[in-house]
Structures are given as C-alpha cells and as structure tokens.
Amino acid sequence: MKKAPIPANEEERLKDLFTYNVLDSAPEQSFDDITDLASHICQTPIALISLIDNDRQWFKSNHGLDAAESDRDVSFCGHAIHQNDIFEIKNASTDTRFSDNPLVTDEPKIVFYAGYPLTSTKGYNLGTLCVIDHKPRELTESQKKALRILGRQVIGQLELRRSNANLIKVSKRIQEQSEKIEKQQEAFIEQAKMASLGLMAGGIAHEINNPMSVIHLANMQIKLLPESKKSEKITDATSKIDRTVERIVKIIKSLRTISRDASHNPMSEAFLDKIVEDTLSICREKFKSRGVSVEKSGDFSTEILCREGEISQILLNLLANAFDAVENVPEPWIRIQAEQRDDEVVVSVIDSGEGIKDSSKLMDPFYTTKPVGKGIGLGLSISKTIAKSHKGRLELDKSSPYTKFDLALKVPPLKDEKQKKSV
Amino acid sequence: MRNKRSQYEFSAYFEDEIELSDLIAGQVRELGVNVETTDTAEEALEMMSTCDYVLVISDIRLPGIDGLQMIKKVLDSNGHHPVFYVMSGFSDYSMEQILEAGARRFYEKPGGLIDLINELQNFFSE
C-alpha cells in the first residue's frame, strides 16, 4: 500500500483549512444536498465531502458511509489533494497503490473512487468531493463535469460559511462596542449630572443664603425689642428661628463644600469630625424620614490631610449606597465609625443590609447590582480613585458580618514632631 | 464735577435681594447716617465715580460685574478711595482674596451681618 503523501505546502494548507473553522462541526443541509446530488448523478452508493486534517480525513458530509472520519495514511483523498483535477481509480483491487489498503480489503470495500480536489481561494487543496462504488467502473464525461461543478459548490458553501461566521464575530464586536459606548455615554451623562448637581448645589446654596440672611436679621430685630414689647411666645419663636437658621446654614456650607471642584486644589488639614458632620447634615433628614438610624462611634477628633470636598463625596457615596442597601430591611441602620491606626485613620461606613454576594468586581467602573435607574456603578470606582489620590485606600472589609467599607486616610504628623523635624 | 458728600453718607451696594437691602439700610439710617443703594454694578461704579463716599458696603456677587474686580478697579483708580466692607454669601473667593483686593472688612452671610451692623456703629462713632 502506498501511504498518502504529505504535500510540500502542508503547514500553510492546514493553516488555511483551520480558518474555515469547519472541522468537527455538525452536519449541514447545504453540504448534505451536494453529496446526495453527487451520489445520484454519478450513480454511486457513497459520496463524501472529505477534509484532510493533520492525521485524519474528516467527513463534513457523508452519504452512504457509516463513519465520521478515518486515518489519513490509508485515505484515497490524501492522494487526490495532490491533483488539480479529478483523481480516478477505476479498480482499487488491481491498483498496486491501493490493492492492500484496509479500506479496500475491509469495509467499506472500496473498488471505484473518483475525487475532485476542493481548492480554497488561496489555492490550497483542503480535501475532496468524492464518489465511491463497490464495483469497478469509470465516470462518464458529463458525470465528471457534474462532479467538478458540485466540487466548486462545496468550496462556495465553505466560503459563505466562513464569511457568515466572520460577520457574526464582527457584529458581536460591534454590539459589544456599542454597549460600551452606551455605558460611556451614560457615564458622561452621570458625570454631567453630578457636575450640574454641583453647580445646582452652588446655586441652591446661594439662593437660600439671601432669604436666610433676611430671616436672621429680622429675627435679630425682634430679639432687640425691649422686654416689655415681647411676649413669651415671641421669645420662644425667635429661639426657634435661631436654631433653624443655624441648621440651614450648616446645610448650605456642606452644599458649598461639595459643589466646589476641588480636584486641583492643594491638600490642607481638616478635622475629620467636621467633614463627617457636614456630610451627614445633607442626608440626615432623608434617612430619618425613612426610618433609617445613623450612628457615629469611635474617635473622630483627628485632623487629616485632604481635600475636604472630595472626602465628603466619598462619604456621601458610601452613605447613599448604605441607604439603598437597608431601605427594605426590617431593621435598617447605618453606622459611621472611626479608628486610629498608626499613621492613618480608618473611617468605616457599615450597614445592616443583605450584604454583597460577589465583591470581585465591586470597585470596577460600571459594575452595579442596583436596579436600572438607581445608578450605573461609577460611585465606588470614582471614590476609590479619590482615596488613592489622597494616598489612602477604599476597601470592603470582608471579615465583617455586615457590609462595611473602610476608608483609610493619612494623618499628618503631630505639630511638635513637625517642629522637631525642621530644627 | 464730583459731589463732595458729608462723612455721614455712604453707599451700600446690595445684590438683587431687595428685602436684605431694606433691612441693612434701615439699620444704618437708625444710626443717623445717609445711605444710597443700588442693586446693579454699573450703577454702583457710576455712583462711586461721581461721589466721594466714606464707606461702601458691597456684596461680592453683583449682577453684571465681579465684585472683586469692582473693588480693585475703584482702589486702583486715581479717584477717591472709599473704605470697602464686603459681604459674601456664596463666592468663589476666599476671605484672604477679598482682603488682599483691598477690602477692609469681610462679613459672611447670614451670621456675619450682625457683626457688620455692630461694626457700622463703631465706624460712625469714630
């Protein structure tokens, strides 16, 4: 038996074959139609679309043969791919190249073979369209013509299949890019909203401040009235006005701090307690109105080196997330705690929510578990970036039984230590 | 021709908060001092170019002009230089910037307004 030889361009040929991504694929009607037609026209019991792989021949379509593949060494098609036209063996049992081939001596007992090489657009012979019989014979000229036509159809189908697959790949990539762009657009809108919220906060602060000034001065005028002209009710009312003014002024100051774009400002020392209180003043009423209790615990007396507005933004984001997490739990609470550790202070925001199931992508941009419309998942990512710009960290404490985010910030050295260093 | 006003006259420039303007001007009139007011920056500059005011009280945010620029313009000119007391409710300028521009005093709304009124008493009793 003569083994099917390996073509000189085998490496390139295989590379080209693999680009069709067809090996081991499921049967397809368009290819089965071709082998059915070949078998009918050539009047053979067997017709195959055979592709020559590294060490096997694999059948994309199989008419009349109970096999999916066979060894390359014994394949007739392995010989046929060396030809440019039909490779015909009229009687394999008397042909010295094939007479002792197991495919001849055993099942499927090939006697007649005619295979037309399937030539790719790059010029490589990938396999054959072949017809097989169990008796000696030869194809007529019109049968040979038909085999050639059908062989070209097989290549056409393989090309179409490859183009479709590429189109699907490109389409998927376009879809992914489109989704990415959409998310980026949402992010820009969100950022623009936040920027305009900042502007709005500034505008609101300004708009509130003047009427506040009027209330404050008018109240002062009443308080300066002689005692004889004041009733107990007026005294009580003016005290209330004083306290309310103080509360609103605090909110205005917090809005002002948060609305300023401080990202280019230098860092300065600020009391942690003030930052936390300023932030809480914005959201305390909302939390209270929804029955969510907010507690502070630990030591907030330290000074930190920071841009106040940015730290406030981080805390506001953590508090907003905590609020969303506890909104529907039976005992909703949020705790802010501070702990001094060596040269840093760790401010933690803890909530009684259901916890975070998968924290692996928590700080990634656009990752969110919130329902549509409740945020696009940029808050933690931005907060983490801000913390990093402060040479600090924002992390989820996985050891806590509750959802606990830790914001670690540097504490500047004590003033007397600074003086010692400068001497 | 410049209008020489008596030392008891000063102009107070407020922004569009008319009620606040009335309140503060009212407080000052009770000290026996004349007050001229306006709510636009253009008119404020016009008034200061024709009258030698002893004291100008101005909000840092004025419709039509940056309050800080207005102060600098007046104090950099060769004309009369009034004393500037500046009020600020919400501004991009810090107290340091406002004082550096030439204002003598700075008052933050709303709490600082009472200090302003007390200071005016001291100013006009000197």
Side-chain angles (χ1 to χ4, degrees):
Chain A
M1 180 192 88
K2 190 179 178 192
K3 266 192 197 173
I6 306 295
N9 61 5
E10 178 67 357
E11 200 180 321
E12 293 84 2
R13 189 192 74 81
L14 279 174
K15 238 188 214 168
D16 194 28
L17 173 61
F18 296 152
T19 65
Y20 287 87
N21 208 28
V22 67
L23 291 172
D24 300 309
S25 60
E28 291 174 54
Q29 192 61 51
S30 52
F31 293 96
D32 290 345
D33 285 348
I34 292 174
T35 49
D36 282 354
L37 204 49
S39 164
H40 180 75
I41 291 172
C42 296
Q43 294 290 296
T44 54
I46 297 170
L48 306 168
I49 294 173
S50 159
L51 296 169
I52 308 299
D53 195 0
N54 191 32
D55 55 4
R56 60 172 179 160
Q57 66 173 352
W58 176 80
F59 307 128
K60 174 59 183 171
S61 178
N62 181 347
H63 176 96
L65 184 70
D66 187 21
E69 61 182 57
S70 68
D71 278 343
R72 182 176 181 172
D73 287 348
V74 300
S75 70
F76 282 64
C77 300
H79 293 268
I81 61 169
H82 288 267
Q83 311 299 321
N84 293 326
D85 199 1
I86 294 171
F87 177 66
E88 192 176 34
I89 306 294
K90 295 178 178 108
N91 188 349
S93 58
T94 59
D95 190 314
T96 53
R97 292 171 292 181
F98 299 103
S99 58
D100 59 344
N101 188 305
L103 298 178
V104 174
T105 58
D106 282 319
E107 291 299 325
K109 290 202 189 319
I110 298 173
V111 177
F112 166 76
Y113 171 93
Y116 179 71
L118 302 173
T119 309
S120 72
T121 48
K122 283 194 172 172
Y124 299 110
N125 286 346
L126 308 178
T128 68
L129 168 66
C130 64
V131 289
I132 290 168
D133 211 333
H134 304 297
K135 54 184 191 286
R137 54 175 290 190
E138 61 184 297
L139 294 179
T140 63
E141 281 309 311
S142 75
Q143 284 171 334
K144 283 180 184 174
K145 189 176 176 184
L147 195 64
R148 291 185 192 104
I149 290 168
L150 290 173
R152 288 194 289 273
Q153 286 300 304
V154 172
I155 279 294
Q157 285 297 318
L158 284 173
E159 289 291 328
L160 191 61
R161 196 177 173 282
R162 184 168 65 172
S163 299
N164 280 349
N166 284 341
L167 272 170
I168 290 168
K169 235 189 253 177
V170 167
S171 166
K172 200 174 169 192
R173 228 177 288 147
I174 289 172
Q175 174 78 6
E176 282 167 6
Q177 284 301 319
S178 166
E179 278 170 15
K180 202 174 171 184
I181 287 168
E182 218 176 283
K183 276 196 171 155
Q184 276 176 340
Q185 273 179 339
E186 280 179 27
F188 286 138
I189 290 168
E190 192 78 14
Q191 280 183 333
K193 267 191 207 167
M194 287 173 78
S196 54
L197 184 66
L199 280 172
M200 209 168 71
I204 289 169
H206 175 65
E207 291 302 319
I208 294 172
N209 213 27
N210 276 349
M212 282 304 311
S213 303
V214 172
I215 293 168
H216 188 54
L217 272 182
N219 198 35
M220 186 206 70
Q221 284 183 318
I222 297 168
K223 280 159 80 172
L224 290 175
L225 284 173
E227 286 304 317
S228 55
K229 292 198 173 172
K230 274 196 280 185
S231 71
E232 197 180 305
K233 275 190 181 169
I234 290 175
T235 308
D236 188 42
T238 55
S239 300
K240 282 195 169 90
I241 292 170
D242 267 340
R243 288 194 297 274
T244 310
V245 165
E246 209 178 296
R247 240 182 60 217
I248 297 174
V249 166
K250 217 174 167 184
I251 293 170
I252 291 169
K253 283 183 175 166
S254 305
L255 283 173
R256 182 169 59 191
T257 305
I258 287 173
S259 72
R260 280 190 180 139
D261 174 18
S263 56
H264 303 296
N265 288 0
M267 302 226 194
S268 59
E269 290 174 7
F271 282 102
L272 179 62
D273 196 44
K274 179 186 176 294
I275 298 173
V276 170
E277 279 300 321
D278 281 351
T279 312
L280 281 175
S281 68
I282 295 172
C283 43
R284 205 173 244 136
E285 284 303 315
K286 179 183 173 185
F287 287 8
K288 194 174 157 187
S289 68
R290 304 282 180 93
V292 177
S293 68
V294 181
E295 290 165 12
K296 270 169 71 184
S297 67
D299 184 7
F300 288 84
S301 62
T302 193
E303 265 186 307
I304 54 172
L305 196 62
C306 68
R307 287 181 283 266
E308 265 189 68
E310 289 196 329
I311 300 302
S312 208
Q313 278 179 24
I314 297 178
L315 292 175
L316 203 55
N317 177 242
L318 294 177
L319 286 166
N321 286 346
F323 178 78
D324 286 341
V326 303
E327 230 180 334
N328 298 313
V329 303
E331 285 180 30
W333 55 257
I334 298 169
R335 195 161 70 234
I336 304 177
Q337 77 186 25
E339 189 188 334
Q340 310 284 334
R341 291 179 197 171
D342 298 326
D343 65 340
E344 63 180 21
V345 61
V346 180
V347 181
S348 306
V349 175
I350 310 163
D351 69 66
S352 61
E354 288 173 0
I356 295 168
K357 291 182 178 66
D358 178 11
S359 63
S360 56
K361 293 182 185 173
L362 201 57
M363 305 282 187
D364 286 358
F366 307 116
Y367 177 79
T368 180
T369 56
K370 292 183 186 179
V372 170
K374 272 243 173 183
I376 60 164
L378 271 182
L380 280 177
S381 167
I382 292 173
S383 298
K384 187 180 173 185
T385 305
I386 293 173
K388 209 172 162 184
S389 75
H390 282 76
K391 294 194 176 13
R393 310 181 302 283
L394 177 63
E395 296 163 335
L396 175 71
D397 180 0
K398 293 179 189 173
S399 66
S400 169
Y402 302 105
T403 303
K404 178 174 178 267
F405 281 92
D406 291 340
L407 172 64
L409 296 164
K410 293 286 172 209
V411 173
L414 292 172
K415 286 191 173 64
D416 55 353
E417 280 181 16
K418 279 188 207 168
Q419 280 171 350
K420 279 182 196 169
K421 279 183 184 168
S422 66
V423 166
Chain B
M1 180 163 48
R2 288 189 78 80
N3 196 352
K4 222 38 175 144
R5 297 297 182 104
S6 79
Q7 65 174 335
Y8 296 111
E9 281 187 336
F10 71 97
S11 64
Y13 301 97
F14 296 96
E15 52 173 300
D16 49 359
E17 188 56 55
I18 305 294
E19 286 185 321
L20 190 59
S21 173
D22 285 346
L23 265 174
I24 294 188
Q27 286 287 316
V28 175
R29 283 187 187 111
E30 284 187 13
L31 296 174
V33 179
N34 289 327
V35 182
E36 292 182 340
T37 67
T38 182
D39 60 358
T40 71
E42 285 82 16
E43 212 174 300
L45 281 168
E46 175 62 30
M47 286 160 74
M48 282 188 286
S49 70
T50 55
C51 302
D52 293 346
Y53 294 101
V54 171
L55 174 68
V56 168
I57 305 170
S58 175
D59 194 288
I60 197 64
R61 270 177 100 155
L62 294 169
I65 196 172
D66 179 279
L68 205 72
Q69 297 310 314
M70 184 193 76
I71 294 168
K72 281 181 180 171
K73 190 170 179 170
V74 171
L75 293 179
D76 284 347
S77 71
N78 293 327
H80 172 74
H81 291 175
V83 171
F84 275 100
Y85 282 8
V86 172
M87 302 179 299
S88 176
F90 185 83
S91 162
D92 290 330
Y93 296 118
S94 63
M95 181 180 76
E96 288 77 20
Q97 281 174 305
I98 291 169
L99 294 176
E100 240 172 76
R104 189 184 287 185
R105 295 262 197 274
F106 168 81
Y107 300 95
E108 200 169 278
K109 292 179 190 173
L113 295 177
I114 294 174
D115 293 335
L116 166 66
I117 289 165
N118 290 336
E119 177 57 31
L120 287 172
Q121 272 182 319
N122 294 335
F123 183 88
F124 287 105
S125 64
E126 280 170 7

